[in-house]
Amino acid sequence: MSRTPKKLVKSIGSETLKPGETQLIRQIVKDQILVCASNPFRGSPREYADVLSLFRRAMEQGESNSALLIGPRGAGKSTLVDSVIQELKEDCKSFVDSVVVRLNGYVHTDDRHALKGIASQLQLENAAGDKVFGSFAENLSFLLQCLKEGDREHSKSVIFILDEFDLFCHHQNQTLLYNLFDVAQSAQAPICVLGITCRKDVTDLLEKRVMSRFSNRQIHLYPHAAETFEQGMKNRIQLCKDLLSIFPKNGSASHLSASATCHWNQLVENLCTNSSVTDCLKQMYSLTICERTLRNYLLLVVSRLDEDHLELTQSDFIEVSRQFSRNLRVAMIEGLSILELCLLIAMMHQNEIFEYAPFNFEMVFARLLKFEQHSSKTMNVDRQVVVKAFEHLKSLEFIRPVTSSSQVLKEFQMFHLMFVTDEIREAVSNYQGLPTEVSQWAFSDLT
């Protein structure tokens, strides 16, 4: 059995961290975990090179273009773009003469908000000479005029990054997309438009006039899979070590003493070789290879540091791993009232007896009454209260109606239960203060 990190730390001959040092370390490590640019993008070298070339040609040669970066959530699309911009910022001389405009479909919900966001990032939101922004038409006309003025040699390159690109397709008439793609295609101003989305069918959402001006270039990104599980785990442990360690190049690390930095890095090194910690990482990697999941996990681990808990231990990883892998559906059931939980148990038994046939309120209410009469001495079931509880379960989508017909009385509308037996029984086991007879009813065998 491996020794605990505290014993390992003592073997180094270092003193324990001070509360002020721990607070600073926690902030530095959190920033490293949250800011993807602090760690290089890993995997998918071809896709990375494609986006890098796209941006570089726009900045250095004034080449206009448009493309889509498509991949599932958590594949690293935003991380890839951030890493490309960071690389260009460091080694591209034309970066200072370029502007990066970022829009998000969740924030810029219509073309008016999007134009205001563009104008703000181009520093054109207030005025330009005697021209003051007014109506939507004036905003659009003025912005396009700014983009089209000048030639390639004297115009600044503008990189448009549209996160959640599919949401921009739902804007009225797709006016913004049409004009951006039109400027990019006509090469009247050096602009590059990159849409980021998780929908593979996003081009089907584009209108014909918009599609005709789109380059139809698509870059597909998928989570990087290692050749073997062992190699993947080796890379995952190294990534964990990189995210938790403190490097001299980090500006905030200059406020930390060299001894504290050395002490913390040695602690991280010991933790990453601890069998209990590697088992937690292995369990997570077997479920998902997504880097975002690991970052979220480590963020919860580091958040446990405080004035009373100055150093990370293997128990921190184990406890967070236990919480992280917890079934959220079960947690939702645990938040129900006892009556609502009893209704779910009645539905569960209804499914077991009638082999998952649809049920209605009257069936569930009859089974609940039967339980009250034979097993419970504490429940006092009132029909109107049960109706309200049943409707609450419906609003939470714990039960799903078979049909959407409004001609059937609500007491006789048929439903399906959206939880399996094991989830309900696990919630019953974890439920605090649940009457014993209710717990026994949930685990009773039916013939």
Side-chain angles (χ1 to χ4, degrees):
M1 182 176 179
S2 60
R3 295 186 295 176
T4 62
K6 285 187 176 180
K7 293 182 180 179
L8 287 169
V9 168
K10 289 181 180 179
S11 65
I12 305 171
S14 242
E15 296 182 359
T16 307
L17 293 173
K18 300 177 182 178
E21 294 173 333
T22 297
Q23 184 177 3
L24 181 57
I25 287 174
R26 181 179 61 185
Q27 186 60 47
I28 293 173
V29 175
K30 276 187 174 183
D31 291 341
Q32 290 183 170
I33 295 173
L34 291 172
V35 181
C36 297
S38 62
N39 286 277
F41 178 78
R42 294 170 173 81
S44 306
R46 178 187 295 180
E47 292 76 11
Y48 184 89
D50 288 343
V51 177
L52 179 63
S53 175
L54 190 72
F55 287 178
R56 188 182 293 277
R57 291 201 304 269
M59 293 181 178
E60 295 180 346
Q61 304 172 19
E63 179 181 314
S64 297
N65 211 330
S66 57
L68 289 175
L69 181 60
I70 303 174
R73 297 197 182 278
K77 301 185 294 296
S78 299
T79 304
L80 184 150
V81 173
D82 291 339
S83 298
V84 167
I85 293 176
Q86 184 65 26
E87 180 174 339
L88 290 173
K89 187 176 181 180
E90 294 174 356
D91 67 0
C92 180
K93 296 180 180 179
S94 301
F95 186 85
V96 293
D97 295 326
S98 305
V99 181
V100 178
V101 177
R102 306 199 68 156
L103 303 177
N104 191 297
Y106 286 121
V107 178
H108 306 93
T109 54
D110 56 34
D111 284 352
R112 181 180 294 275
H113 287 96
L115 279 171
K116 287 183 178 179
I118 294 172
S120 175
Q121 295 179 60
L122 292 178
Q123 299 181 358
L124 300 171
E125 71 275 24
N126 294 324
D130 297 331
K131 179 67 177 179
V132 180
F133 283 145
S135 66
F136 172 80
E138 290 174 337
N139 272 279
L140 178 60
S141 175
F142 182 77
L143 176 62
L144 294 180
Q145 189 67 22
C146 290
L147 291 176
K148 292 179 180 179
E149 281 184 351
D151 51 28
R152 291 189 178 187
E153 289 74 18
H154 299 89
S155 297
K156 279 195 172 185
S157 299
V158 183
I159 308 296
F160 287 92
I161 301 174
L162 309 183
D163 284 296
E164 306 297 339
F165 179 82
D166 51 289
L167 298 181
F168 288 96
C169 298
H170 298 296
H171 291 190
Q172 186 176 7
N173 298 327
Q174 298 183 359
T175 307
L176 178 70
L177 296 181
Y178 172 80
N179 285 283
L180 288 178
F181 288 155
D182 184 54
V183 174
Q185 185 188 53
S186 61
Q188 294 171 320
I191 75 168
C192 176
V193 183
L194 178 67
I196 303 176
T197 181
C198 60
R199 291 192 58 169
K200 296 183 67 175
D201 63 341
V202 66
T203 54
D204 296 337
L205 302 177
L206 295 176
E207 296 180 0
K208 290 184 178 180
R209 66 191 187 105
V210 179
M211 190 63 188
S212 65
R213 284 158 175 77
F214 174 52
S215 69
N216 204 30
R217 182 176 185 178
Q218 300 181 21
I219 304 172
H220 293 266
L221 182 67
Y222 298 98
H224 177 67
E227 295 182 359
T228 63
F229 182 83
E230 290 74 16
Q231 182 62 36
M233 271 305 303
K234 183 179 179 181
N235 296 337
R236 179 52 56 97
I237 293 175
Q238 183 61 45
L239 174 59
C240 178
K241 189 184 303 183
D242 292 342
L243 291 174
L244 293 179
S245 300
I246 298 177
F247 301 95
K249 64 179 182 180
N250 191 320
S252 302
S254 59
H255 303 287
L256 196 63
S257 65
S259 59
T261 302
C262 181
H263 179 86
W264 174 262
N265 289 341
Q266 186 61 54
L267 174 63
V268 171
E269 179 74 25
N270 294 330
L271 284 170
C272 290
T273 57
N274 184 282
S275 60
S276 298
V277 175
T278 55
D279 285 344
C280 293
L281 297 177
K282 184 181 297 184
Q283 179 183 5
M284 184 184 305
Y285 186 76
S286 62
L287 295 176
T288 175
I289 63 176
C290 176
E291 183 177 317
R292 178 188 296 175
T293 304
L294 176 66
R295 288 177 180 269
N296 292 338
Y297 171 77
L298 294 179
L299 189 63
L300 293 176
V301 172
V302 174
S303 297
R304 296 173 67 88
L305 293 173
D306 55 31
E307 295 180 354
D308 299 323
H309 188 66
L310 300 178
E311 298 178 354
L312 294 180
T313 64
Q314 63 180 11
S315 61
D316 294 322
F317 287 81
I318 296 172
E319 181 62 27
V320 173
S321 180
R322 186 181 297 113
Q323 298 175 1
F324 205 77
S325 60
R326 187 184 181 196
N327 191 332
L328 295 180
R329 289 160 56 87
V330 174
M332 291 176 65
I333 299 177
E334 294 175 18
L336 298 176
S337 66
I338 295 179
L339 175 58
E340 291 166 342
L341 181 60
C342 287
L343 283 176
L344 285 185
I345 297 173
M347 297 171 190
M348 177 189 73
H349 287 317
Q350 184 77 16
N351 280 345
E352 292 177 345
I353 295 173
F354 296 99
E355 299 181 350
Y356 297 92
F359 56 83
N360 58 31
F361 171 80
E362 294 296 339
M363 297 177 185
V364 176
F365 184 62
R367 190 159 299 281
L368 186 65
L369 286 177
K370 184 177 180 181
F371 163 69
E372 180 197 18
Q373 295 170 0
H374 293 85
S375 303
S376 178
K377 305 299 182 183
T378 59
M379 291 188 62
N380 182 17
V381 180
D382 180 83
R383 181 182 176 86
Q384 294 302 319
V385 176
V386 179
V387 169
K388 290 293 184 182
F390 190 88
E391 291 178 348
H392 185 225
L393 294 178
K394 179 183 176 182
S395 67
L396 293 173
E397 298 184 356
F398 284 12
I399 53 178
R400 178 175 57 85
V402 176
T403 63
S404 57
S405 175
S406 60
Q407 298 179 353
V408 182
L409 294 175
K410 61 181 181 180
E411 290 84 355
F412 298 99
Q413 186 178 10
M414 305 303 290
F415 292 88
H416 285 297
L417 179 62
M418 305 307 294
F419 290 89
V420 298
T421 300
D422 290 342
E423 290 175 329
I424 296 177
R425 287 179 172 170
E426 181 181 349
V428 169
S429 301
N430 299 334
Y431 201 102
Q432 298 293 325
L434 189 66
T436 304
E437 57 268 22
V438 176
S439 179
Q440 292 174 348
W441 182 35
F443 287 91
S444 61
D445 295 328
L446 299 175
T447 56

